[in-house]
Amino acid sequence: MLENMAILDVEKVIRDFEAMTKDAENVQRETLKLILEENECADYLQNLGLNGRTDPESVKVCVLLVTHKDLEPYIQRVADGAFPLILTGKPITTISLSSGTTEGKPKFVPFNDELMETTSQICRTSFAFRNRKFPIENGKALQFIYSSKQTKTEGGLLELQPPMSFAICRLLVREEIQMVSSTFAHSIVLAFQTFEQVWEELCADIREGVLSSRVTFPSVRSTMAELLKPNPELADLIEKRCSGLVNWYLIPELFPNVKYIYGIMTGYMEHYLKKLRHYARDVPLISADYGASEGWIGANINPTLPPESATYAVLPNIGYFEFLPPQENIEEHMQDKVNGSFIAVEPKPVSLTEVKVGKEYEVFITSFAGLYRYRLGDVVKNTEKDLQLTVEEAAKLIAGEKLEVVDFSSHADVSTDPGHYVIFWEISGEVSDGVLQECCNCLDRSFVDAGYVISHKVNTIGPLELRVLRKGTFQKILEHYLGLRGVLSQFKTPRCVGPTNNKVLEILCDNVAKNYFSTAF
């Protein structure tokens, strides 16, 4: 990877980026035109009444804002191998399985060569800005790559699933390593947590030049047999470094010339920053670029900012972007009254150059892979909708006893390592311990987000905890809200209680009658 990036003219990449973003409005219009011209013969676009028009104004009139649910029948036809050009002007050859969820299920997303090119462009752009601040010379990268068994859809298309496993072989060239990276921060943390447990065994492998029987994949064993030769000097060095560590500042101790650590570190991954900083000591952490399973959006062009403050610049030529203020929910279209009757009104998103600094927006994308005015939605985290569906599924276990969940909330408890989700339930009557334990297990199993399930299996998320509350707990939360001069008609039970909502979290925790930990995984 570093060898390929090293041939880039970094300053030219940055100049091109700056010129393009200064002319963002025209670039966006040209990008939309290109997308629509390339895909005008697609079934989906044929019936929308565009009649060859490609300007943003016509698109807003003819093409509705959509969610994955709206496009799911079209995407399923593609996945099933339907011959006609359903969403794009060229056949879709690959279907990606998202790590987010739609109504509790991972979703199929079309992937094509054009998206591969936008991925390359994002990588080149962010690398150029990183390399300006942290120059990479001739060297190697330590990348933790998790892979899984690849499957095919009924139509014979390759199905790319989230990574599942990793391999490490860079200790042999430890002084050449200049960057440590993985897609997600938790993968890096997991790798070094594993190293803490097996470093003595690895030293033995290096000393003897023979791979441990722990590794069973024939292809890995044969490859390592060619690379691994007896090296007692290196084994002694690693053993000396590790045996003398008290705080396990592993990364700079093992790889003294590493310049930064790179991966997705925002959102759901922020939980792992504390542990990652521990391993990294003074090595800078740089958050990777911003995107979703459906496509990339922006590059991190400010690599010196800490992950918690990361900002991203939208590349105006990789898709056409629209931005909707969050109060204008697409699923609850605003209503206007005309001649005494209510009619639905399409929400009015703004263009890339119309967004205002400091405001929050939801992103909609028109991509080269057949998504038109598409709501991106969640990426890797469990949403309130997921939580609602999960609680409803588990509550069925007490419905037979004519009991119900009066109200519920949740909290991401990061005071433990690994962190875990806590679900708070207030129930209308008494339930046996056995049933409540099964409810807890059901809650945990019902979160089907691929990232959540994988994190469970690799122990980067702990077992879900169900805390059963005393009767009247949510009434106390309501009273607290009213005490802050809140209006009763505007009160909404907080479904996800963050660390800054101290008082509500205190009320919940002080009123726990019983608690249960999942044994589902």
Side-chain angles (χ1 to χ4, degrees):
M1 174 185 168
L2 293 188
E3 292 85 351
N4 293 335
M5 288 297 187
I7 64 176
L8 282 181
D9 184 338
V10 167
E11 293 305 319
K12 182 179 185 304
V13 171
I14 293 176
R15 286 196 304 271
D16 290 346
F17 166 83
E18 291 177 342
M20 179 174 58
T21 52
K22 287 178 181 177
D23 192 28
E25 182 176 359
N26 287 328
V27 173
Q28 278 278 273
R29 295 182 75 93
E30 287 301 311
T31 300
L32 179 61
K33 178 182 178 182
L34 182 60
I35 292 172
L36 294 177
E37 287 179 345
E38 285 188 1
N39 300 303
E40 62 181 351
C41 61
D43 281 5
Y44 183 80
L45 292 177
Q46 283 290 301
N47 302 317
L48 296 180
L50 282 170
N51 298 323
R53 291 174 294 173
T54 62
D55 59 284
E57 295 75 22
S58 296
V59 169
K60 289 181 180 181
V61 172
C62 298
V63 184
L64 293 177
L65 298 173
V66 296
T67 66
H68 186 273
K69 184 177 180 180
D70 298 316
L71 292 185
E72 197 167 26
Y74 299 91
I75 297 174
Q76 190 62 54
R77 286 171 61 195
V78 173
D80 290 341
F83 179 77
L85 301 176
I86 309 298
L87 290 168
T88 56
K90 293 187 292 186
I92 294 290
T93 57
T94 303
I95 292 291
S96 173
L97 183 63
S98 79
S99 56
T101 61
T102 298
E103 297 186 354
K105 297 184 295 182
K107 54 194 177 185
F108 282 156
V109 177
F111 191 91
N112 61 7
D113 293 341
E114 283 79 2
L115 282 191
M116 182 63 73
E117 174 54 35
T118 64
T119 300
S120 298
Q121 185 178 348
I122 286 279
C123 291
R124 290 193 298 268
T125 303
S126 60
F127 179 83
F129 281 94
R130 289 202 309 278
N131 213 54
R132 176 186 272 183
K133 297 293 184 181
F134 305 99
I136 294 291
E137 302 166 358
N138 292 329
K140 292 180 169 60
L142 169 57
Q143 293 180 285
F144 299 105
I145 302 174
Y146 289 57
S147 63
S148 63
K149 181 179 179 181
Q150 293 178 339
T151 60
K152 290 187 176 181
T153 69
E154 292 182 7
L157 300 184
L158 190 63
E159 188 175 314
L160 304 177
Q161 300 195 41
M164 295 289 290
S165 62
F166 67 89
I168 306 175
C169 63
R170 286 309 206 201
L171 285 172
L172 302 179
V173 289
R174 56 186 295 272
E175 293 190 353
E176 298 180 53
I177 300 299
Q178 296 190 37
M179 178 181 74
V180 176
S181 71
S182 189
T183 302
F184 297 114
H186 76 69
S187 303
I188 305 173
V189 170
L190 171 65
F192 286 101
Q193 284 178 329
T194 303
F195 184 90
E196 281 191 61
Q197 300 170 7
V198 303
W199 68 269
E200 291 175 304
E201 189 174 344
L202 290 175
C203 286
D205 292 352
I206 294 171
R207 181 174 286 107
E208 301 297 328
V210 179
L211 197 61
S212 165
S213 60
R214 179 193 295 268
V215 180
T216 58
F217 291 117
S219 59
V220 175
R221 294 193 66 86
S222 62
T223 301
M224 289 302 296
E226 299 177 7
L227 297 174
L228 192 58
K229 309 299 179 185
N231 193 337
E233 293 81 8
L234 178 59
D236 289 344
L237 174 62
I238 295 172
E239 184 175 32
K240 182 179 179 180
R241 293 291 176 93
C242 293
S243 60
L245 288 176
V246 176
N247 292 317
W248 289 98
Y249 299 129
L250 280 172
I251 295 177
E253 291 291 338
L254 295 174
F255 308 105
N257 295 315
V258 68
K259 296 188 176 181
Y260 59 83
I261 301 166
Y262 182 70
I264 295 174
M265 301 179 188
T266 54
Y268 171 77
M269 289 296 138
E270 286 191 25
H271 165 63
Y272 304 100
L273 287 178
K274 180 179 179 181
K275 188 67 174 179
L276 187 54
R277 282 199 172 98
H278 178 83
Y279 284 134
R281 196 168 57 188
D282 298 327
V283 179
L285 304 183
I286 302 178
S287 188
D289 307 304
Y290 175 47
S293 302
E294 293 84 350
W296 291 101
I297 300 170
N300 183 354
I301 64 169
N302 296 297
T304 58
L305 293 176
E308 297 91 339
S309 303
T311 59
Y312 305 94
V314 176
L315 271 65
N317 69 331
I318 63 173
Y320 183 76
F321 301 98
E322 297 175 82
F323 301 85
L324 187 70
Q327 65 268 25
E328 295 188 60
N329 192 314
I330 186 175
E331 293 176 344
E332 298 176 2
H333 286 183
M334 298 172 64
Q335 300 278 316
D336 274 359
K337 199 169 186 178
V338 178
N339 297 327
S341 300
F342 285 99
I343 60 171
V345 176
E346 174 81 355
K348 297 180 179 179
V350 298
S351 68
L352 175 60
T353 56
E354 293 175 321
V355 296
K356 296 181 179 179
V357 175
K359 299 293 184 180
E360 293 185 354
Y361 298 90
E362 183 175 4
V363 183
F364 287 75
I365 184 172
T366 296
S367 78
F368 286 94
L371 304 179
Y372 308 98
R373 307 196 78 199
Y374 176 90
R375 180 189 196 181
L376 283 177
D378 66 323
V379 179
V380 293
K381 67 180 180 179
N382 292 318
T383 66
E384 291 188 13
K385 181 64 173 178
D386 295 323
L387 177 61
Q388 176 71 45
L389 293 170
T390 297
V391 169
E392 289 175 358
E393 185 65 25
K396 294 176 183 177
L397 297 174
I398 64 173
E401 301 180 30
K402 296 185 178 180
L403 297 174
E404 62 181 6
V405 177
V406 175
D407 217 337
F408 67 95
S409 190
S410 66
H411 172 65
D413 187 347
V414 295
S415 65
T416 61
D417 189 9
H420 68 286
Y421 286 117
V422 178
I423 307 295
F424 297 95
W425 272 13
E426 184 176 329
I427 304 174
S428 59
E430 293 295 322
V431 183
S432 68
D433 289 338
V435 172
L436 287 172
Q437 180 62 59
E438 185 53 37
C439 288
C440 181
N441 293 346
C442 183
L443 285 166
D444 211 6
R445 286 193 300 265
S446 297
F447 281 118
V448 296
D449 179 276
Y452 182 82
V453 174
I454 291 168
S455 297
H456 249 314
K457 291 181 178 179
V458 299
N459 198 36
T460 54
I461 285 182
L464 181 142
E465 181 182 1
L466 172 62
R467 298 184 187 177
V468 180
L469 302 170
R470 299 185 180 93
K471 289 184 178 181
T473 299
F474 284 95
Q475 178 65 28
K476 293 180 180 179
I477 293 175
L478 170 60
E479 292 169 357
H480 163 69
Y481 176 82
L482 296 177
L484 298 175
R485 297 185 179 180
V487 180
L488 181 60
S489 62
Q490 297 295 319
F491 174 76
K492 294 181 180 178
T493 299
R495 294 294 177 221
C496 301
V497 181
T500 58
N501 201 346
N502 295 325
K503 184 59 181 178
V504 171
L505 187 59
E506 180 183 331
I507 293 172
L508 290 169
C509 293
D510 286 349
N511 286 275
V512 176
K514 297 179 180 180
N515 70 313
Y516 305 85
F517 284 91
S518 168
T519 58
F521 289 85

